[in-house]
């Protein structure tokens, strides 16, 4: 959770057939948000400032999950 | 009973005239995993869940209505100044035929909201796991909506809403832990 931008993204290579009608996508990605690794939030977690918490949607850095749009990525969807 | 604050939970600014995005946003308005379904699901389950987690369902269900208002604001801003021709070009001609520019509880494909989208099983584990799944599905929907617009201001509000789904999902997981271990030994929450 120290580098949430990178370590929440998972990548896999879908099967590419010899007769695919469209140019194949080289890879696909999906997000595994930090809530998946927490059963019960521990006490005394660090907090964002109130202003930053409003911007990010959570008070807790350990729960923050960034998302970058895939609109123009080669992946073309999740 | 509720106390209403006449402001949005998070600012909604829409900078690009893109009525077609309004059509897509309706998925979170009246779709199966949308905010209306979420609010009604949680607030209804409150009555038949162990006392310790009623408050959680109450709080999250209430917040979902605040999210519903944000989505409504986005849809309204994107359609209020559109001409009929623009609405038709955006795929909203069938919407206009039935509703003019009124908002309606339907999904992006125009299917009206139905109570069959939600469940109340009466079994606390079953209901809470449905709630966790609903949060993750709403998170995914927000991701696809963010993918479909290049308006950074709209993306900003959608990213806020996506993050709230992640927090809610964890809170429902904690609710499962609370009702699993009912012997009063949990120290932290």
């Amino acid at each position: 959770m120290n580098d949430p931008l990178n370590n929440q993204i998972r990548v896999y290579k879908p099967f590419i057939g010899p007769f695919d009608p469209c140019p194949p996508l080289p890879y696909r990605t999906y997000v595994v948000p930090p809530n998946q690794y927490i059963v019960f939030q521990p006490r005394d977690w660090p907090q964002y400032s109130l202003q930053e918490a409003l911007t990010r949607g959570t008070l807790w850095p350990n729960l923050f999950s960034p998302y970058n749009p895939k609109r123009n990525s080669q992946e073309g969807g999740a | 009973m509720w106390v209403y604050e006449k402001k949005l939970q998070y600012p909604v600014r829409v900078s690009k005239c893109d009525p077609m995005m309004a059509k897509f946003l309706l998925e979170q308005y009246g779709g199966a995993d949308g905010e209306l379904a979420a609010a009604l699901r949680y607030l209804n389950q409150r009555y038949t869940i162990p006392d310790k987690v009623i408050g959680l369902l109450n709080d999250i269900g209430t917040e979902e209505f605040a999210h519903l208002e944000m989505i409504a604001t986005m849809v309204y801003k994107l359609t209020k100044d559109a001409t009929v021709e623009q609405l038709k070009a955006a795929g909203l001609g069938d919407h206009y035929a039935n509703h003019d520019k009124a908002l309606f509880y339907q999904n992006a494909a125009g299917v009206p909201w139905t109570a069959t989208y939600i469940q109340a099983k009466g079994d606390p584990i079953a209901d809470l796991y449905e709630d966790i799944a609903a949060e993750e599905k709403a998170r995914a929907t927000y991701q696809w909506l963010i993918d479909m617009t290049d308006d950074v201001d709209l993306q900003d509000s959608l990213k806020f809403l996506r993050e709230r789904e992640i927090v809610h999902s964890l809170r429902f997981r904690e609710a499962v832990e609370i009702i699993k271990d009912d012997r009063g030994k949990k120290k932290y929450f």
Side-chain angles (χ1 to χ4, degrees), chain A residues 40-41 57 63 65 70, chain B residues 147 162-164 171 174 188:
Chain A
F40 214 105
Q41 181 173 326
L63 283 186
S65 172
K70 288 186 267 195
Chain B
D147 290 345
R162 174 181 174 274
E163 178 66 37
R164 297 309 301 155
R171 298 298 170 242
E174 291 169 345
Y188 27 68

Side-chain angles (χ1 to χ4, degrees), chain B residues 71-141:
Chain B
I71 300 292
T73 304
M74 295 172 191
V75 172
Y76 173 70
K77 285 188 175 199
L78 285 165
T79 53
K80 73 184 178 70
D81 299 313
T83 65
V84 175
E85 285 307 315
Q86 283 173 319
L87 290 175
K88 282 165 70 179
L92 286 164
D94 40 8
H95 187 279
Y96 186 83
N98 194 1
H99 304 290
D100 189 292
K101 290 181 182 178
L103 278 71
F104 191 66
Y105 293 115
Q106 59 189 18
N107 71 9
V111 180
W113 190 87
T114 162
T116 54
Y117 287 159
I118 64 177
Q119 179 57 287
K121 211 69 208 175
D123 178 88
I125 295 288
D127 282 347
L128 285 170
Y129 272 93
E130 170 174 330
D131 301 345
I132 293 166
E135 295 292 339
E136 299 299 345
K137 287 188 283 183
R139 169 184 59 81
T141 305

Side-chain angles (χ1 to χ4, degrees), chain A residues 31 33 35-36 38-41 43 54-58 60 63-67 69-71 78, chain B residues 10 136 139 143-144 146-148 155 159-160 162-164 166 169-171 173-174 177 187-188:
Chain A
V31 177
N35 59 18
Q36 297 299 310
I38 304 158
V39 179
F40 214 105
Q41 181 173 326
R43 280 172 168 243
L54 175 63
T55 310
R56 292 178 182 268
T58 179
W60 315 100
L63 283 186
F64 179 62
S65 172
Y67 185 76
K70 288 186 267 195
R71 185 181 174 83
Chain B
Y10 185 86
E136 299 299 345
R139 169 184 59 81
Q143 290 172 189
W144 315 154
I146 292 166
D147 290 345
M148 278 191 290
Q155 283 180 349
K159 285 177 180 178
F160 172 88
R162 174 181 174 274
E163 178 66 37
R164 297 309 301 155
I166 292 167
S169 171
L170 176 61
R171 298 298 170 242
R173 286 158 190 280
E174 291 169 345
E177 295 305 308
K187 290 201 195 84
Y188 27 68

